[in-house]
Amino acid sequence: MTEGAERAGSDDTIRPFHVDVPEAELTELRRRIDATRWPERETVTDDSQGVRLATMQELARYWATGYDWRKCEGKLKALPHFLTEIDGLDIHFIHVRSQHEDALPLIVTHGWPGSIIEQLKIIEPLTNPTAHGASAADAFHLVIPSLPGHGFSAKPATTGWDPPRIARAWVVLMKRLGYTRFVAQGGDWGAAVTQAMGVQAAPELLGIHSNMPGTAPAEINKAVQRGDPPPPDLSAEERRAYEQLSNFFAKHVAYAQIMGTRPQTLYGLADSPADLAAFMLDHGDGTGQPGLVEKALEGHLQSALTRDDILDNITLYWLTNTGVSTARLYWENKADFFDAKPISIPFAISVFPDELYQAPRSWAERAYPHNLIHYNKLDRGGHFAAWEQPDLFAAEMRAAFRPLR
C-alpha cells in the first residue's frame, strides 16, 4: 500500500495507485483486537452512555475471527486509483469514466467517519446507467477523492487544509483530468466542501448537490446552538427540523467538539482498534442514534448496512492510521454546517429521513430562491445515503443534474 506524502514544489502528474495491504498488518490488527482491555459494562440498559460493551465485544470477536479485509481490498483493486499532487499534498482519488462519452463529470466527496468506501456502491449505477434501468443520457464520469488526511490521501503536515481550500483543490483536480464542465456532490464534510465550491463558483462548476444541505436561516442556526426553545411562528416541518438540530447540538455533538479542539489528544485512535471502532460507531448513522449500526453489527437483515460494510470502513481507517489526521479537519473548520450559504449557482437538495435534520422545503426555497433546481424528500436512507441506499441515491443524482446537461 503506497501512501501519499506532503511535498514541496509543484507536480501535476497523475500517477497510478495500487491498494495492497501486507498480511503482517492484518495479523497485527487481529493481535491488537484480541489484546483489548475492556472496561466494565455500562450502568444503563440503553446506549445513552455510548456504544454498549456487548456490541463492542461482539464486533471485536467478528473483526478478529470472521471478517475478511481481502474482500473489500478486491473491490478496491478492481477500480482505477490515482494520486496527484495539489498545493503540495498528494491527493488520492478513484476515477471511473463512463462508456458514454457525453457523460457528465461528477466529483463526489465523502465525510467523517466515512471514506471512499461510502461511494463504492454508486459507481456502477452512475457510470453505467443503462445496466440499471436508466438512460444513457443520465451517465456520469465519476471522480471520488479521499479528503486530505483521510484514506489514501496524504496527511497535511501544516495547517490550512479547511473545506474552502479543499474545494479549490477539487476544481484543480477536475480541470487536471481534462473536465471543463462538471458538477459536485457531497454529504457531511463532503457537503461542507461541495457548498464551499458553490460559494466559490468556479466557472467550470455547473451546479452542486447535497444530501446534508445548509438551509437554516441565520437566526435559527444561532438559536439551536444556544438551546433556545423553538420560535412560535414555525410550521410543523420547520419545528421538526428545529428540534432535530437542537437535539443534535444538545446531545450528539461531543465527538465534533473534542476533534475540533483537541484532535492530537486522541492517541487511542491510532493505538487501539477497539477505541477507533467505538469512536466511529458512536457517530452512528449520523442522527445520534447508533441503532442502525448496532442492527448491522447484530446481523439484522433489515439494516441498510452490513457488519462487513461497517468494518470495511473502520479497517481502512486503521490500516491508513488516519484516526487523528481525519480529526484535524474539525480543528481546521471555521464554518457552521447547517446555516444557509451564499450560493448562487444551481443547487440541488435531497432530503433523507434519517439525516441529522430534514431540511424543510421552506428553508431551502428561502435560502436559494433563484437557484434551487431540485428538492426531493425520500422515504428511506440516512446520513450515509450513497452507502445505505445506492439506487435511490443514484436516481437522485440523475434527476438533480438533468437540467444542467
Side-chain angles (χ1 to χ4, degrees), residues 258-389:
I258 186 64
M259 291 193 287
T261 56
R262 311 293 289 174
Q264 191 63 34
T265 300
L266 299 172
Y267 291 98
L269 303 183
D271 187 63
S272 167
D275 187 37
L276 177 68
F279 194 68
M280 294 173 70
L281 291 183
D282 199 48
H283 192 50
D285 57 1
T287 64
Q289 300 170 351
L292 179 145
V293 170
E294 292 198 7
K295 287 176 183 176
L297 296 181
E298 293 163 6
H300 293 187
L301 296 178
Q302 67 266 34
S303 173
L305 300 176
T306 67
R307 289 188 302 182
D308 283 358
D309 282 333
I310 292 165
L311 284 173
D312 288 345
N313 186 55
I314 296 172
T315 304
L316 178 62
Y317 271 69
W318 176 263
L319 294 173
T320 55
N321 191 16
T322 48
V324 172
S325 58
T326 58
R328 291 196 190 102
L329 184 52
Y330 286 82
W331 186 90
E332 293 284 356
N333 182 56
K334 303 299 184 289
D336 287 332
F337 270 106
F338 306 113
D339 60 324
K341 306 295 191 294
I343 296 169
S344 58
I345 68 170
F347 194 177
I349 290 172
S350 298
V351 178
F352 290 85
D354 295 323
E355 183 51 90
L356 290 174
Y357 86 117
Q358 280 72 66
R361 180 184 287 273
S362 59
W363 289 359
E365 291 177 343
R366 174 177 168 182
Y368 312 106
H370 306 297
N371 57 317
L372 184 66
I373 59 168
H374 175 86
Y375 177 96
N376 189 34
K377 283 190 169 183
L378 289 302
D379 63 359
R380 59 192 184 278
H383 191 62
F384 303 103
W387 202 17
E388 298 171 44
Q389 300 293 340

Side-chain angles (χ1 to χ4, degrees), residues 216-228 242 336 339:
E219 65 275 14
I220 294 291
N221 188 57
K222 293 173 183 174
V224 294
Q225 295 185 58
R226 289 194 303 262
D228 294 353
Y242 189 99
D336 287 332
D339 60 324

Side-chain angles (χ1 to χ4, degrees), residues 165-181:
R165 184 175 181 182
I166 298 169
R168 291 188 293 271
W170 279 190
V171 173
V172 172
L173 173 60
M174 294 301 279
K175 292 169 67 176
R176 188 170 293 176
L177 292 171
Y179 296 130
T180 57
R181 297 169 65 257

